[in-house]
Amino acid sequence: MGSEVYPVCLPWEEESTMYLIKWIFTTVRREIETALRPLGLTSSQSQTLYVLAMSPGVTNTDLEKLLLIDKSSVTSLVNGMIGKNWAVRRGHPEDARMKQIYLTEEGLKIHKAAERTIEQIKSSVGETLSIRESETLRGLLKKILHDYRPANTGV
């Protein structure tokens, strides 16, 4: 590991693949959160805006599965976004009990600004590895994820 500085961890975690994945995720997420803060966004809000832009009309249940968060968190997240006029709920055409969620014009604008910001961060992170290294890493991570998929909640 050389002279890299990592946060305090248990001795058996230092070389753990899972520890390194978590540390990279946490580091990049903090960088994204810092970059999104001037836009008035959290990373969860940004992810939700992205889902709504790519899949207009998703339901709370869809968001639970796509964002890997629980029902109450989705409700709070969506209510907050509706309060900021970034999203609206509309009745489902086939099931009156269900509500679909859509971006507003304001939501689409903030989504595009967030997307540009995140792409800048992702491209700087991507400069660390060659294209071949990135492909290899993604393949290995998918392999790990595949082994753990049965333990996930249907994702």
Side-chain angles (χ1 to χ4, degrees):
M1 307 255 9
S3 62
E4 296 93 346
V5 178
Y6 296 100
V8 175
C9 62
L10 299 171
W12 57 86
E13 289 182 320
E14 285 180 11
E15 296 294 325
S16 163
T17 301
M18 294 305 141
Y19 169 78
L20 292 172
I21 291 169
K22 181 180 178 180
W23 181 238
I24 291 166
F25 170 80
T26 302
T27 301
V28 173
R29 184 176 176 128
R30 282 187 188 138
E31 188 172 343
I32 289 171
E33 287 173 349
T34 299
L36 291 174
R37 200 167 294 126
L39 298 174
L41 278 171
T42 65
S43 60
S44 294
Q45 289 169 329
S46 176
Q47 290 171 347
T48 306
L49 290 170
Y50 178 83
V51 170
L52 295 175
M54 297 302 113
S55 302
V58 296
T59 64
N60 277 22
T61 302
D62 296 329
L63 288 173
E64 287 173 42
K65 293 175 185 172
L66 292 167
L67 300 174
L68 304 175
I69 58 178
D70 62 43
K71 186 176 187 172
S72 63
S73 296
V74 168
T75 300
S76 175
L77 186 62
V78 171
N79 286 344
M81 293 175 66
I82 288 170
K84 292 182 180 200
N85 193 34
W86 295 344
V88 294
R89 280 192 189 98
R90 295 186 188 139
H92 192 284
E94 298 168 12
D95 186 344
R97 297 169 296 167
M98 290 176 53
K99 300 292 181 193
Q100 293 178 292
I101 307 157
Y102 296 88
L103 284 182
T104 62
E105 285 298 317
E106 184 66 27
L108 186 58
K109 286 179 194 172
I110 196 82
H111 159 66
K112 288 180 179 180
E115 192 172 44
R116 284 189 299 273
T117 300
I118 291 170
E119 283 305 315
Q120 290 172 343
I121 292 168
K122 286 167 61 177
S123 69
S124 70
V125 169
E127 293 171 2
T128 304
L129 302 175
S130 70
I131 292 171
R132 187 171 186 180
E133 288 171 328
S134 291
E135 290 170 355
T136 300
L137 178 59
R138 275 193 308 277
L140 293 170
L141 292 171
K142 285 178 183 178
K143 186 175 181 180
I144 292 169
L145 182 60
H146 178 73
D147 285 346
Y148 283 95
R149 189 158 287 198
N152 290 342
T153 56
V155 179

